[in-house]
């Protein structure tokens, strides 16, 4: 498990291991891949293709790890040798990762190396995610509207890397995710590498639209069509993740067996739960005028990206409204879970008719500023000072 711990809130996320046994279904393909290694018939350029949300990237990574595992069994990598250890974080020096990137304003080169750590954590969290999910990570920080591509620079860099003779494992793996995003210059340069591959180098391409690749490239590749996960595979998987069957069936119906999307929906709900902890500590600190810890809290939320900040502010508005409902109406009208209701029971006396409009207005204004690229640190600090002031406003009368 990847554990993000801060002073104020904690949440867990599963981190995937790139082992065959971690990937549901696909038993025929797994066996075929393992056989290529056993029979020493590993093709130097292979294309894993199929729909978004299936196991093609996970399978390619498990295969790369298996190729280099020092203690492989008949069915999987060992998971413990020094090669597997480096594959665990996708940081093996002989694993080269190429994926679409944005051309950043002011940067001379546009290569995957500039974003590799971001991509590693993205994949380790959800190896079934889509290109669209990858682009969303950028959109929250950067609204250039530019296309995600694999640029010519990438081909130059990989050429240079592959001319270095010394490498430590039997196979050097170049993994290209979404090769259909290569521009023409990059395609032509990489084609030369596929035609005359450096010794011991395996190219694994993972594509959702192989028909967009140059025919000259396609003809060089051994093709592996990866099918969608079956409903039963997904049900078994979600059952192990303690998701109840009814909900699992709904998720499958909504996404059409797209495991990437299912994991995304689930992880967003997980973050949704944390909003409560984040909100409750903010209110407690503001109530106590604890400026030192408020500024730590501000640093944390400033770090979390615009999407989360916007979600948090909308959640804060919802909670302020619930406090008001609690003060004026029956608590049965609350649309909150148990934890939230307990908090409101104690905190509602401080958010009332005299200050709730002020608080909600301020929160709404902040959402607009976030969307206009305001500096999050300054914004949340000033907002906290406002909240401190508003919480001190006394009720003129109390309704019983
Ligand atoms: Zn191993």
């Amino acid at each position: 498990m990847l554990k993000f711990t801060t002073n104020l809130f904690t949440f867990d996320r599963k981190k995937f291991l790139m082992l065959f046994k971690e990937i549901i279904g696909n038993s025929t393909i797994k066996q075929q891949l393992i056989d290529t290694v056993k029979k020493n018939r590993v093709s130097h350029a292979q294309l894993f293709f199929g729909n978004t949300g299936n196991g093609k990237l996970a399978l390619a990574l498990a295969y790369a790890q298996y190729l280099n595992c020092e203690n492989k069994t008949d069915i999987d990598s060992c998971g413990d040798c020094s090669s597997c250890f480096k594959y665990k974080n996708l940081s093996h020096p002989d694993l080269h990762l190429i994926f679409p990137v944005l051309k950043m304003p002011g940067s001379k080169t546009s290569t995957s190396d500039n974003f590799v750590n971001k991509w590693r954590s993205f994949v380790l969290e959800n190896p079934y995610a889509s290109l669209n999910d990858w682009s969303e990570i950028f959109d929250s920080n950067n609204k250039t509207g530019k296309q995600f591509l694999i640029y010519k620079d990438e081909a130059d860099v990989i050429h240079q890397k592959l001319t270095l003779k010394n490498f430590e494992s039997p196979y050097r793996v170049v993994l290209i995710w979404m090769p259909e995003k290569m521009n023409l210059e990059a395609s032509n340069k990489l084609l030369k590498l596929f035609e005359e591959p450096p010794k011991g180098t395996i190219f694994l391409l993972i594509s959702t639209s192989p028909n967009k690749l140059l025919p000259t490239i396609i003809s060089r590749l051994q093709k592996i069509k990866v099918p969608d996960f079956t409903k039963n595979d997904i049900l078994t998987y979600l059952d192990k993740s303690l998701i109840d069957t009814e909900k699992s069936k709904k998720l499958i119906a909504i996404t059409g067996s797209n495991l990437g999307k299912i994991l995304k929906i689930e992880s967003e709900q997980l973050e949704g739960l944390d909003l409560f902890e984040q909100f409750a500590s903010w209110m407690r600190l503001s109530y106590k005028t604890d400026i030192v810890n408020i500024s730590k809290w501000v640093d944390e939320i400033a770090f979390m990206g615009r999407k989360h900040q916007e979600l948090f502010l909308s959640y804060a508005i919802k909670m302020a409204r619930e406090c008001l409902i609690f003060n004026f109406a029956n608590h049965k009208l609350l649309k909150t879970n148990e934890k939230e209701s307990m908090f409101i029971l104690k905190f509602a006396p401080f958010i009332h008719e005299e200050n709730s409009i002020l608080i909600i207005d301020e929160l709404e204004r902040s959402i607009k500023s976030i969307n206009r690229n305001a500096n999050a640190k300054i914004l949340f600090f000033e907002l906290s000072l406002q909240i401190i002031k508003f919480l001190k406003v006394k009720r003129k009368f109390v309704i019983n």
Side-chain angles (χ1 to χ4, degrees):
M1 302 284 261
L2 263 187
K3 196 161 193 165
F4 296 84
T5 310
T6 67
N7 321 346
L8 302 167
F9 51 93
T10 305
F11 55 97
D12 287 331
R13 270 187 191 157
K14 189 180 186 306
K15 185 180 166 187
F16 283 86
L17 295 173
M18 297 307 162
L19 299 172
F20 285 123
K21 68 172 181 206
E22 286 261 316
I23 307 161
I24 47 173
N26 290 294
S27 49
T28 315
I29 293 183
K30 286 179 196 169
Q31 195 53 55
Q32 282 167 358
L33 293 171
I34 289 167
D35 284 347
T36 64
V37 183
K38 278 192 197 161
K39 293 176 185 160
N40 208 8
R41 279 198 201 139
V42 178
S43 164
H44 78 271
Q46 309 186 29
L47 171 71
F48 291 69
F49 69 100
N51 292 329
T52 306
N54 76 4
K56 57 192 177 301
L57 174 62
L59 285 164
L61 285 166
Y63 182 49
Q65 177 162 342
Y66 188 73
L67 283 169
N68 286 316
C69 173
E70 291 153 22
N71 299 311
K72 52 174 89 61
T73 68
D74 278 352
I75 51 168
D76 219 332
S77 309
C78 74
D80 287 322
C81 67
S82 83
S83 171
C84 283
F85 189 74
K86 291 168 197 160
Y87 260 95
K88 222 175 249 178
N89 296 317
L90 305 179
S91 58
H92 196 294
D94 296 325
L95 171 66
H96 303 287
L97 302 166
I98 298 179
F99 43 85
V101 296
L102 266 186
K103 207 167 206 135
M104 302 303 265
S107 84
K108 280 186 194 152
T109 55
S110 309
T111 60
S112 307
D113 282 350
N114 297 345
F115 307 99
V116 73
N117 287 332
K118 223 177 210 177
W119 194 78
R120 283 185 185 123
S121 19
F122 166 74
V123 170
L124 289 171
E125 253 175 45
N126 186 354
Y128 313 106
S130 66
L131 181 61
N132 204 28
D133 298 333
W134 172 234
S135 72
E136 274 180 17
I137 291 181
F138 281 80
D139 272 345
S140 63
N141 301 315
N142 177 319
K143 286 196 170 167
T144 58
K146 279 190 182 168
Q147 262 215 321
F148 275 76
L149 289 175
I150 296 174
Y151 292 91
K152 173 183 86 65
D153 301 336
E154 203 77 69
D156 294 336
V157 170
I158 203 70
H159 257 285
Q160 276 166 18
K161 283 182 182 170
L162 297 183
T163 49
L164 296 172
K165 278 192 188 115
N166 298 327
F167 53 97
E168 59 182 61
S169 45
Y171 295 100
R172 193 157 49 171
V173 176
V174 180
L175 185 135
I176 309 179
W177 187 59
M178 305 291 160
E180 55 268 39
K181 289 286 167 187
M182 286 193 285
N183 67 14
L184 193 61
E185 279 174 294
S187 297
N188 284 324
K189 285 207 161 193
L190 283 167
L191 179 62
K192 292 208 182 85
L193 280 175
F194 299 154
E195 284 168 341
E196 290 167 41
K199 202 169 170 286
T201 303
I202 310 285
F203 290 91
L204 302 178
L205 283 72
I206 296 96
S207 169
T208 44
S209 314
N211 54 330
K212 289 184 186 156
L213 290 169
L214 291 181
T216 41
I217 287 189
I218 288 270
S219 66
R220 297 269 161 195
L221 304 170
Q222 177 169 309
K223 292 152 209 76
I224 299 145
K225 184 171 177 6
V226 180
D228 289 350
F229 290 119
T230 66
K231 278 181 191 167
N232 275 340
D233 287 341
I234 295 187
L235 280 176
T236 316
Y237 178 86
L238 294 178
D239 189 48
K240 276 188 201 151
S241 314
L242 303 175
I243 294 173
D244 72 72
T245 317
E246 278 317 300
K247 190 177 175 194
S248 300
K249 281 183 184 161
K250 254 186 220 160
L251 285 169
I252 293 170
I254 300 168
T255 65
S257 296
N258 178 332
L259 187 55
K261 212 177 237 175
I262 292 177
L263 295 182
K264 194 172 176 233
I265 292 172
E266 279 304 296
S267 81
E268 278 168 1
Q269 280 175 353
L270 204 92
E271 278 170 29
L273 289 177
D274 297 319
L275 292 175
F276 168 74
E277 295 298 337
Q278 203 171 19
F279 175 76
S281 29
W282 189 40
M283 287 298 114
R284 283 188 208 111
L285 296 172
S286 302
Y287 177 72
K288 289 191 281 184
T289 323
D290 183 347
I291 300 292
V292 174
N293 282 313
I294 283 178
S295 87
K296 282 186 197 159
W297 181 92
V298 167
D299 285 346
E300 276 161 13
I301 196 157
F303 180 75
M304 297 186 86
R306 198 181 304 158
K307 245 188 177 168
H308 178 90
Q309 290 156 5
E310 199 183 321
L311 204 66
F312 173 79
L313 290 166
S314 312
Y315 178 80
I317 292 172
K318 174 202 132 168
M319 288 297 278
R321 290 204 176 115
E322 295 291 346
C323 285
L324 205 59
I325 290 170
F326 181 83
N327 284 328
F328 280 94
N330 192 319
H331 70 277
K332 284 182 185 153
L333 291 176
L334 290 181
K335 288 179 191 147
T336 48
N337 63 31
E338 206 185 324
K339 236 163 52 171
E340 291 169 330
S341 304
M342 290 300 289
F343 175 83
I344 287 171
L345 189 71
K346 286 189 204 150
F347 208 77
F350 307 104
I351 299 182
H352 44 75
E353 65 284 359
E354 304 291 338
N355 62 7
S356 56
I357 304 288
L358 297 169
I359 292 174
I360 291 168
D361 276 356
E362 205 57 42
L363 292 168
E364 277 170 351
R365 228 195 319 274
S366 301
I367 293 182
K368 283 185 195 144
S369 308
I370 291 282
N371 284 326
R372 283 198 303 264
N373 283 334
N375 178 314
K377 265 194 191 181
I378 297 173
L379 181 136
F380 277 99
F381 195 73
E382 285 178 354
L383 176 63
S384 303
L385 297 181
Q386 291 291 334
I387 298 288
I388 290 173
K389 198 173 87 189
F390 296 146
L391 288 177
K392 291 198 194 318
V393 175
K394 292 261 178 338
R395 288 184 91 173
K396 283 195 183 129
F397 60 93
V398 178
I399 303 163
N400 279 312

